[in-house]
Amino acid sequence: SQKIEQNSEALNIQEGKTATLTCNYTNYSPAYLQWYRQDPGRGPVFLLLIRENEKEKRKERLKVTFDTTLKQSLFHITASQPADSATYLCALEGSTLTFGKGTMLLVSP
Amino acid sequence: NAGVMQNPRHLVRRRGQEARLRCSPMKGHSHVYWYRQLPEEGLKFMVYLQKENIIDESGMPKERFSAEFPKEGPSILRIQQVVRGDSAAYFCASSPVNQLDNGYTFGSGTRLTVV
């Protein structure tokens, strides 16, 4: 069956460092993959979409890679700030979007 | 231009009562999706609707749950005879037709508590 895996352990990093989050999937061949941010008590907010024929996508301090051979996407936040602390979700395309459980990022000053 | 509006934000129901959750999509969006999120769990797809049509309800429990998106008015997720296990956050999202570059726009959710 289709499966999306994100690290369930929170990622703790120091302000100014680069945060890297991983999304692995099995039994999928998505045409695109999306990343969302979710703050406590709020709905997810769309960040980036990357298509299967794109290796990398950037938006300000965010960078996403998509390796369809490894079935993996990496999400990077450079020069991280405490305000980046949130849970980050990856979502894969199908008839509708299927979400991973998310990884919590904690950026300490 | 308001985003996706969900109400109520919080809803408390006793076991056996009905819960009605409302979602007004973003202006110009004709596709609505409902997701459920349990503590420590991911977002689980429930149903996908367009105006007056259910497109995909594969994630919806067969009993007690129903959804509609009428020609006029908000989309409604109805849960009949609620049980404690229905307690969760229910999120609605919307998107325009065939436009994926901006992803789904989510509402702030309705937190249902069954007592």
Side-chain angles (χ1 to χ4, degrees):
Chain A
S1 61
Q2 296 172 332
K3 202 171 178 185
I4 303 170
E5 288 185 349
Q6 293 187 257
N7 196 338
S8 57
E9 287 187 19
L11 177 64
N12 286 275
I13 63 167
Q14 203 75 21
E15 182 176 8
K17 303 289 187 186
T18 296
T20 299
L21 305 174
T22 305
C23 176
N24 295 298
Y25 59 93
T26 54
N27 298 323
Y28 260 112
S29 294
Y32 60 85
L33 183 149
Q34 301 184 14
W35 283 89
Y36 288 76
R37 168 187 173 137
Q38 186 173 23
D39 291 282
R42 311 292 296 180
V45 174
F46 172 76
L47 296 174
L48 278 169
L49 176 151
I50 186 166
R51 299 180 189 280
E52 61 178 340
N53 60 350
E54 297 174 312
K55 294 287 186 215
E56 181 180 297
K57 198 102 172 249
R58 291 175 185 261
K59 180 183 175 183
E60 298 172 357
R61 294 185 295 111
L62 308 180
K63 184 179 88 171
V64 172
T65 62
F66 192 11
D67 189 325
T68 55
T69 302
L70 289 178
K71 294 188 181 293
Q72 180 181 79
S73 175
L74 299 178
F75 177 80
H76 307 272
I77 305 176
T78 58
S80 59
Q81 304 166 1
D84 295 326
S85 298
T87 296
Y88 291 85
L89 311 171
C90 73
L92 271 64
E93 162 263 353
S95 55
T96 59
L97 281 182
T98 301
F99 286 82
K101 290 185 180 181
T103 299
M104 184 183 292
L105 172 67
L106 298 169
V107 182
S108 50
Chain B
N1 186 12
V4 175
M5 304 300 291
Q6 288 190 250
N7 66 81
R9 285 297 306 274
H10 300 275
L11 182 62
V12 179
R13 283 288 176 266
R14 295 186 185 282
R15 279 178 294 170
Q17 289 185 319
E18 179 180 286
R20 289 170 68 91
L21 288 60
R22 295 174 187 77
C23 169
S24 296
M26 199 160 168
K27 190 174 181 180
H29 288 191
S30 56
H31 297 231
V32 167
Y33 315 84
W34 285 93
Y35 286 80
R36 177 164 62 178
Q37 189 172 41
L38 290 163
E40 308 303 321
E41 293 286 325
L43 283 162
K44 299 294 185 189
F45 167 75
M46 298 182 74
V47 62
Y48 162 32
L49 309 107
Q50 294 179 27
K51 285 284 186 184
E52 299 185 282
N53 278 310
I54 296 175
I55 308 301
D56 182 349
E57 56 182 349
S58 59
M60 195 119 88
K62 294 283 186 285
E63 297 180 358
R64 302 189 298 107
F65 285 73
S66 62
E68 62 177 7
F69 188 14
K71 189 175 180 181
E72 302 289 339
S75 175
I76 306 284
L77 179 68
R78 181 197 289 181
I79 311 172
Q80 295 177 299
Q81 299 175 320
V82 295
V83 300
R84 289 239 169 94
D86 297 331
S87 295
Y90 291 83
F91 290 97
C92 167
S94 70
S95 69
V97 177
N98 292 330
Q99 184 174 338
L100 303 165
D101 287 346
N102 294 320
Y104 288 3
T105 303
F106 279 84
S108 292
T110 293
R111 275 141 195 88
L112 172 65
T113 302
V114 179
V115 296

mmCIF file of all heavy atoms in Angstrom, chain B residues 53-71:
data_model
loop_
_atom_site.group_PDB
_atom_site.id
_atom_site.type_symbol
_atom_site.label_atom_id
_atom_site.label_comp_id
_atom_site.label_asym_id
_atom_site.label_seq_id
_atom_site.Cartn_x
_atom_site.Cartn_y
_atom_site.Cartn_z
ATOM 1 N N ASN B 53 -21.735 17.881 -6.460
ATOM 2 C CA ASN B 53 -21.201 16.567 -6.812
ATOM 3 C C ASN B 53 -20.191 16.084 -5.793
ATOM 4 O O ASN B 53 -19.319 16.840 -5.368
ATOM 5 C CB ASN B 53 -20.488 16.624 -8.165
ATOM 6 C CG ASN B 53 -21.458 16.520 -9.322
ATOM 7 O OD1 ASN B 53 -22.293 15.640 -9.364
ATOM 8 N ND2 ASN B 53 -21.323 17.437 -10.255
ATOM 9 N N ILE B 54 -20.309 14.825 -5.421
ATOM 10 C CA ILE B 54 -19.256 14.180 -4.638
ATOM 11 C C ILE B 54 -18.336 13.481 -5.625
ATOM 12 O O ILE B 54 -18.769 12.592 -6.369
ATOM 13 C CB ILE B 54 -19.838 13.165 -3.635
ATOM 14 C CG1 ILE B 54 -20.698 13.885 -2.602
ATOM 15 C CG2 ILE B 54 -18.713 12.392 -2.949
ATOM 16 C CD1 ILE B 54 -21.416 12.957 -1.644
ATOM 17 N N ILE B 55 -17.076 13.888 -5.645
ATOM 18 C CA ILE B 55 -16.137 13.339 -6.611
ATOM 19 C C ILE B 55 -15.440 12.091 -6.057
ATOM 20 O O ILE B 55 -15.250 11.107 -6.764
ATOM 21 C CB ILE B 55 -15.068 14.375 -7.019
ATOM 22 C CG1 ILE B 55 -15.717 15.680 -7.479
ATOM 23 C CG2 ILE B 55 -14.133 13.812 -8.073
ATOM 24 C CD1 ILE B 55 -16.664 15.509 -8.664
ATOM 25 N N ASP B 56 -15.064 12.150 -4.779
ATOM 26 C CA ASP B 56 -14.329 11.042 -4.174
ATOM 27 C C ASP B 56 -14.664 11.022 -2.692
ATOM 28 O O ASP B 56 -14.365 11.986 -1.991
ATOM 29 C CB ASP B 56 -12.815 11.228 -4.396
ATOM 30 C CG ASP B 56 -11.961 10.090 -3.841
ATOM 31 O OD1 ASP B 56 -12.473 9.231 -3.091
ATOM 32 O OD2 ASP B 56 -10.748 10.080 -4.136
ATOM 33 N N GLU B 57 -15.285 9.976 -2.231
ATOM 34 C CA GLU B 57 -15.608 9.861 -0.801
ATOM 35 C C GLU B 57 -14.955 8.623 -0.206
ATOM 36 O O GLU B 57 -15.429 8.062 0.786
ATOM 37 C CB GLU B 57 -17.120 9.843 -0.568
ATOM 38 C CG GLU B 57 -17.855 8.764 -1.315
ATOM 39 C CD GLU B 57 -19.365 8.822 -1.081
ATOM 40 O OE1 GLU B 57 -19.829 9.558 -0.190
ATOM 41 O OE2 GLU B 57 -20.082 8.090 -1.806
ATOM 42 N N SER B 58 -13.845 8.223 -0.790
ATOM 43 C CA SER B 58 -13.195 6.983 -0.385
ATOM 44 C C SER B 58 -12.661 7.024 1.046
ATOM 45 O O SER B 58 -12.437 5.981 1.655
ATOM 46 C CB SER B 58 -12.059 6.639 -1.354
ATOM 47 O OG SER B 58 -11.105 7.685 -1.396
ATOM 48 N N GLY B 59 -12.451 8.203 1.588
ATOM 49 C CA GLY B 59 -11.922 8.307 2.951
ATOM 50 C C GLY B 59 -12.985 8.500 4.009
ATOM 51 O O GLY B 59 -12.676 8.615 5.204
ATOM 52 N N MET B 60 -14.202 8.512 3.611
ATOM 53 C CA MET B 60 -15.292 8.790 4.541
ATOM 54 C C MET B 60 -15.835 7.476 5.108
ATOM 55 O O MET B 60 -16.092 6.543 4.346
ATOM 56 C CB MET B 60 -16.406 9.522 3.815
ATOM 57 C CG MET B 60 -17.376 10.159 4.758
ATOM 58 S SD MET B 60 -17.402 11.893 4.542
ATOM 59 C CE MET B 60 -18.621 11.923 3.274
ATOM 60 N N PRO B 61 -16.036 7.403 6.419
ATOM 61 C CA PRO B 61 -16.677 6.207 6.978
ATOM 62 C C PRO B 61 -18.041 5.999 6.318
ATOM 63 O O PRO B 61 -18.741 6.956 5.988
ATOM 64 C CB PRO B 61 -16.826 6.552 8.463
ATOM 65 C CG PRO B 61 -15.768 7.555 8.725
ATOM 66 C CD PRO B 61 -15.637 8.364 7.469
ATOM 67 N N LYS B 62 -18.394 4.734 6.135
ATOM 68 C CA LYS B 62 -19.616 4.417 5.387
ATOM 69 C C LYS B 62 -20.867 4.826 6.145
ATOM 70 O O LYS B 62 -21.902 5.153 5.536
ATOM 71 C CB LYS B 62 -19.667 2.908 5.093
ATOM 72 C CG LYS B 62 -18.584 2.419 4.156
ATOM 73 C CD LYS B 62 -18.918 2.777 2.719
ATOM 74 C CE LYS B 62 -17.927 2.184 1.738
ATOM 75 N NZ LYS B 62 -16.647 2.866 1.711
ATOM 76 N N GLU B 63 -20.791 4.813 7.437
ATOM 77 C CA GLU B 63 -21.987 5.115 8.236
ATOM 78 C C GLU B 63 -21.784 6.403 9.018
ATOM 79 O O GLU B 63 -20.675 6.773 9.376
ATOM 80 C CB GLU B 63 -22.282 3.959 9.194
ATOM 81 C CG GLU B 63 -22.606 2.668 8.469
ATOM 82 C CD GLU B 63 -22.911 1.520 9.410
ATOM 83 O OE1 GLU B 63 -22.837 1.708 10.632
ATOM 84 O OE2 GLU B 63 -23.205 0.413 8.920
ATOM 85 N N ARG B 64 -22.835 7.085 9.244
ATOM 86 C CA ARG B 64 -22.968 8.276 10.097
ATOM 87 C C ARG B 64 -22.364 9.540 9.489
ATOM 88 O O ARG B 64 -22.676 10.628 9.946
ATOM 89 C CB ARG B 64 -22.333 8.040 11.486
ATOM 90 C CG ARG B 64 -22.903 6.875 12.260
ATOM 91 C CD ARG B 64 -22.391 6.819 13.688
ATOM 92 N NE ARG B 64 -20.947 6.644 13.749
ATOM 93 C CZ ARG B 64 -20.088 7.600 14.101
ATOM 94 N NH1 ARG B 64 -20.506 8.804 14.427
ATOM 95 N NH2 ARG B 64 -18.786 7.348 14.139
ATOM 96 N N PHE B 65 -21.506 9.426 8.508
ATOM 97 C CA PHE B 65 -20.847 10.599 7.919
ATOM 98 C C PHE B 65 -21.442 10.887 6.543
ATOM 99 O O PHE B 65 -21.654 9.972 5.746
ATOM 100 C CB PHE B 65 -19.340 10.364 7.760
ATOM 101 C CG PHE B 65 -18.557 10.426 9.041
ATOM 102 C CD1 PHE B 65 -18.646 9.403 9.977
ATOM 103 C CD2 PHE B 65 -17.737 11.515 9.311
ATOM 104 C CE1 PHE B 65 -17.923 9.466 11.161
ATOM 105 C CE2 PHE B 65 -17.006 11.584 10.487
ATOM 106 C CZ PHE B 65 -17.105 10.550 11.420
ATOM 107 N N SER B 66 -21.678 12.175 6.273
ATOM 108 C CA SER B 66 -22.109 12.574 4.940
ATOM 109 C C SER B 66 -21.582 13.972 4.668
ATOM 110 O O SER B 66 -21.262 14.722 5.595
ATOM 111 C CB SER B 66 -23.631 12.537 4.817
ATOM 112 O OG SER B 66 -24.219 13.458 5.722
ATOM 113 N N ALA B 67 -21.473 14.308 3.399
ATOM 114 C CA ALA B 67 -20.976 15.628 3.012
ATOM 115 C C ALA B 67 -21.750 16.108 1.809
ATOM 116 O O ALA B 67 -22.210 15.310 0.981
ATOM 117 C CB ALA B 67 -19.477 15.575 2.703
ATOM 118 N N GLU B 68 -21.875 17.426 1.723
ATOM 119 C CA GLU B 68 -22.530 18.014 0.562
ATOM 120 C C GLU B 68 -21.891 19.354 0.267
ATOM 121 O O GLU B 68 -21.293 20.004 1.133
ATOM 122 C CB GLU B 68 -24.032 18.181 0.806
ATOM 123 C CG GLU B 68 -24.373 19.109 1.947
ATOM 124 C CD GLU B 68 -25.874 19.308 2.098
ATOM 125 O OE1 GLU B 68 -26.647 18.629 1.419
ATOM 126 O OE2 GLU B 68 -26.258 20.166 2.903
ATOM 127 N N PHE B 69 -22.047 19.779 -0.978
ATOM 128 C CA PHE B 69 -21.579 21.101 -1.411
ATOM 129 C C PHE B 69 -22.653 21.602 -2.373
ATOM 130 O O PHE B 69 -22.586 21.390 -3.583
ATOM 131 C CB PHE B 69 -20.223 20.978 -2.094
ATOM 132 C CG PHE B 69 -19.552 22.287 -2.406
ATOM 133 C CD1 PHE B 69 -19.971 23.491 -1.851
ATOM 134 C CD2 PHE B 69 -18.469 22.323 -3.272
ATOM 135 C CE1 PHE B 69 -19.342 24.685 -2.146
ATOM 136 C CE2 PHE B 69 -17.818 23.519 -3.575
ATOM 137 C CZ PHE B 69 -18.261 24.694 -3.015
ATOM 138 N N PRO B 70 -23.679 22.253 -1.820
ATOM 139 C CA PRO B 70 -24.815 22.654 -2.657
ATOM 140 C C PRO B 70 -24.454 23.782 -3.615
ATOM 141 O O PRO B 70 -23.417 24.436 -3.483
ATOM 142 C CB PRO B 70 -25.855 23.110 -1.617
ATOM 143 C CG PRO B 70 -25.058 23.499 -0.424
ATOM 144 C CD PRO B 70 -23.848 22.616 -0.414
ATOM 145 N N LYS B 71 -25.365 23.998 -4.540
ATOM 146 C CA LYS B 71 -25.161 25.050 -5.540
ATOM 147 C C LYS B 71 -24.967 26.408 -4.854
ATOM 148 O O LYS B 71 -24.157 27.236 -5.277
ATOM 149 C CB LYS B 71 -26.367 25.091 -6.463
ATOM 150 C CG LYS B 71 -26.202 25.980 -7.670
ATOM 151 C CD LYS B 71 -27.424 25.864 -8.589
ATOM 152 C CE LYS B 71 -27.254 26.769 -9.798
ATOM 153 N NZ LYS B 71 -28.451 26.693 -10.683
#
